[in-house]
Structure formats: C-alpha cells, structure tokens
C-alpha cells in the first residue's frame, strides 16, 4: 500500500474527537464555563448557551418549564441560624443546627415550586441526600431571615456551613453551585473524614463562593425583589 493510500485510509478509520458540551436546547457548542437552566418538570439542570439562558430569564417563557439559573451570591452580615438577629449564631452542635436535623456540617435549602415547599439536602460521597424538613422548623430557624425572603423558587438556594465552635455561615447562591459541591465531594471524598484532598477542595470551593458574595444592606429587601444591583442585595 502506498503512503498516500494509507493516509487516506487512516482518515476513515481514525476515531473522531469526542464532542464538547453543547446547549441542551439548541445544540450550540459551549465553553467549559457556561450557564444552566432548571427543568422544573424533571427536576434537573440543563446546560445552556447565552441566548437560550437569556430567553428563559423572562417569567412564563416556555410555559414556565425552564427557568434560568441566576448568577447572584448574597450574604447577610446580621444572619444567625435561629433567625433571632442577635449576631451570635450557632455552629454545628448548636441549637439551631440541631433543630434542622442535618447530620453533617453542610446543607443547602431551596423552595420546590412544584411541591410548594422547601427542601433540604446535604452533600455526601453518595450524592445529594434529602433530609426531612418540617415547615415549622424551617420558619423558626431560617425562614424568617432576610436571605430566605429573597430566594427565587427552584433556581437559588441557601448554602449553610457549620463548624464546631464557629458561627454558621449562610450564602444565597445559584442552585447549580450546590450540585457542583455535591460532585466535588463524590469525586474527592475518601474514608471517614474525606481526607486532605477533599478538605482542601471544599475550602477552595467556599473561598470562591465567599469572593463572589455581596453583603446585603440594611434596607436592601425591596431592592432585591425588584432586581436591584448586587451590592444593594439584588441581581448582578
């Protein structure tokens, strides 16, 4: 076989390169960093290109099945786990955390519009595990806080972290970030305590979240609901 013939044959036998990620609505190629939609019917995330994401930022688009995941990160300097506003808070083992009945020091909460209730999940090496959340407990511990009042159904969550002898932290985040944390834990967790690699990865993750978060101002509640600027408690 001549060299030329062998080269032509190789073109037909060579495996094609694996396709990159594509928008799950229109099929356009996507970069590694891209936005997501929540499929409220199937309770799943879909990768989306900028035009498709923008389309579903409008209320009622697509009869409400798909909702664009926003990109805002908010903290409340006055947050306490019991909602008292005392500025003291409680870490893991504290009364507020114990009432939530979360067995680990990480959890996220969001409102499921289809079920018309709040859901609680905590990341584990097996994936996202749902925890029973009594509505009265939610109202008493977290539901009265400013951050809870700003949550958008299905697409945003409150990400809580509690460590021993330290006040619990709470950040309003895009829902896809919570599932990124779940994926990181499944990838790196080893043994009983996760191991050094998993702990370092979690610290890096929360460092990134903290760097993106903007603090609420004292009078920011109305502005956030109206879609104000991130530094005022609204959407970026």
């Amino acid at each position: 076989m001549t060299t030329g013939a062998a080269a032509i044959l190789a073109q037909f036998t060579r495996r094609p390169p694996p396709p990159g990620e594509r928008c799950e609505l229109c099929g356009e190629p996507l970069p590694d960093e891209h936005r997501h939609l929540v499929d409220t019917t199937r309770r799943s995330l879909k990768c989306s290109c900028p035009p498709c994401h923008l389309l579903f930022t409008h209320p009622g688009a697509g009869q409400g099945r798909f909702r664009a995941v926003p990109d805002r990160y908010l903290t409340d300097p006055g947050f306490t786990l019991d909602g008292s506003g005392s500025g003291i808070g409680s870490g893991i083992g504290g009364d507020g955390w114990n009432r939530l009945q979360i067995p680990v020091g990480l959890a996220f909460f969001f409102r499921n519009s289809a079920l018309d209730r709040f859901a609680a999940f905590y990341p584990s090496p097996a994936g996202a595990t749902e925890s029973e959340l009594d509505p009265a407990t939610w109202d008493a511990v977290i539901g009265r806080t400013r951050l809870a009042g700003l949550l958008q159904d299905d697409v945003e969550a409150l990400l809580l972290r509690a460590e021993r002898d330290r006040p619990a932290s709470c950040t309003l985040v895009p829902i896809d970030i919570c599932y990124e944390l779940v994926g990181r834990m499944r990838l790196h967790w080893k043994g009983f305590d996760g191991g050094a690699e998993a702990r370092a990865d979690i610290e890096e993750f929360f460092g990134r979240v903290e760097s993106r978060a903007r603090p609420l101002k004292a009078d920011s509640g109305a502005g956030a609901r109206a879609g104000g600027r991130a530094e005022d408690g609204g959407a970026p």
Side-chain angles (χ1 to χ4, degrees):
M1 183 180 296
T2 65
T3 302
I8 293 174
L9 181 60
Q11 294 179 7
F12 290 96
T13 58
R14 186 184 303 120
R15 292 183 178 180
E21 285 195 279
R22 293 181 175 272
C23 175
E24 295 186 65
L25 269 68
C26 71
E28 281 294 306
L30 295 174
D32 292 338
E33 293 287 334
H34 54 265
R35 307 294 290 275
H36 293 93
L37 304 171
V38 171
D39 184 335
T40 60
T41 300
R42 298 185 177 182
R43 309 307 310 171
S44 61
L45 290 172
K46 290 189 176 296
C47 301
S48 65
C49 64
C52 287
H53 188 273
L54 180 62
L55 174 64
F56 291 101
T57 59
H58 302 289
Q63 299 182 335
R65 175 177 174 178
F66 299 108
R67 298 195 62 190
V69 177
D71 189 31
R72 66 172 181 171
Y73 296 73
L74 301 174
T75 60
D76 181 2
F79 170 82
T80 60
L81 193 55
D82 61 2
S84 67
S86 65
I88 299 173
S90 57
I92 190 169
D95 181 63
W97 193 266
N98 287 338
R99 293 177 67 184
L100 292 173
Q101 297 184 336
I102 303 294
V104 297
L106 296 173
F108 61 94
F109 305 80
F110 68 94
R111 187 177 182 278
N112 184 320
S113 61
L115 299 178
D116 193 24
R117 66 174 176 84
F118 280 91
F121 288 84
Y122 58 90
S124 74
T129 302
E130 186 168 9
S131 178
E132 292 293 331
L133 182 61
D134 177 66
T137 300
W138 164 264
D139 290 339
V141 179
I142 304 176
R144 300 174 186 175
T145 65
R146 293 195 298 164
L147 289 174
L150 300 176
L151 272 180
Q152 296 186 42
D153 292 357
D154 304 306
V155 295
E156 292 183 322
L158 294 185
L159 179 60
L160 270 68
R161 186 185 190 191
E163 299 176 276
R164 294 192 181 279
D165 303 321
R166 295 182 61 183
S169 66
C170 179
T171 311
L172 186 152
V173 298
I175 189 69
D176 52 3
I177 290 297
C178 298
Y179 289 104
E180 177 188 333
L181 176 60
V182 172
R184 284 169 171 252
M185 290 190 65
R186 292 190 66 180
L187 180 64
H188 298 295
W189 196 272
K190 295 179 181 179
F192 179 76
D193 63 353
E197 183 179 5
R199 292 193 297 271
D201 191 67
I202 291 173
E203 289 299 327
E204 185 277 330
F205 171 86
F206 276 97
R208 179 159 53 91
V209 169
E210 183 178 350
S211 70
R212 295 183 179 184
R214 299 292 181 266
L216 288 175
K217 291 185 178 180
D219 57 350
S220 63
R225 290 183 179 88
R229 292 174 58 83
E231 59 267 32
D232 296 325

